[in-house]
Amino acid sequence: MDEVLVRERDDSSVSIGLSGDLDELSCGDIESTILTASKLWRRVVVDLGAVTFCTSAGLSMFVRCHNVATEQGGTFVLTNAPSIVHRVIEVTGLTHLLAATAPEPVDC
């Protein structure tokens, strides 16, 4: 993982931007950041626009973070998932749970 950028959106929500690979080596620190954010804000939005790769460790982390946020009465949303990451989320049947959105197509 290259970078984790936390930006407060307003009093009740935060945006966390991730970049690079989501794998076994990077997920521990990222999960800790997301879980801390879910205690401070009711809505956590994770921007995956700069993520280049996501293993099952990343998917498992997202499910755990979603479950914790939901148990605390909050929401956890993934956004801007690159097509390869969005496809993995779709194939595993997690789109409904993670509310993952792909970037809008760009007209050429």
Side-chain angles (χ1 to χ4, degrees):
M1 180 54 47
D2 296 326
E3 184 177 35
V4 177
L5 179 62
V6 179
R7 295 180 302 263
E8 183 174 16
R9 295 166 60 126
D10 56 43
D11 289 345
S12 64
S13 67
V14 66
S15 175
I16 300 174
L18 305 179
S19 66
D21 294 347
L22 293 175
D23 56 24
E24 294 79 11
L25 298 175
S26 63
C27 285
D29 291 338
I30 295 167
E31 184 170 354
S32 177
T33 299
I34 293 171
L35 292 178
T36 298
S38 70
K39 292 177 185 174
L40 301 172
W41 290 278
R42 291 187 50 79
R43 180 174 171 83
V44 176
V45 178
V46 179
D47 187 336
L48 303 177
V51 170
T52 53
F53 184 71
C54 182
T55 68
S56 60
L59 293 177
S60 296
M61 173 191 66
F62 291 143
V63 170
R64 286 190 301 275
C65 290
H66 171 271
N67 291 341
V68 168
T70 302
E71 289 169 4
Q72 295 175 352
T75 57
F76 177 79
V77 178
L78 300 178
T79 190
N80 289 327
S83 59
I84 190 148
V85 175
H86 191 264
R87 181 72 180 131
V88 170
I89 293 169
E90 282 182 323
V91 168
T92 56
L94 296 173
T95 306
H96 71 286
L97 180 69
L98 297 176
T101 61
E104 293 297 318
V106 177
D107 292 330
C108 296

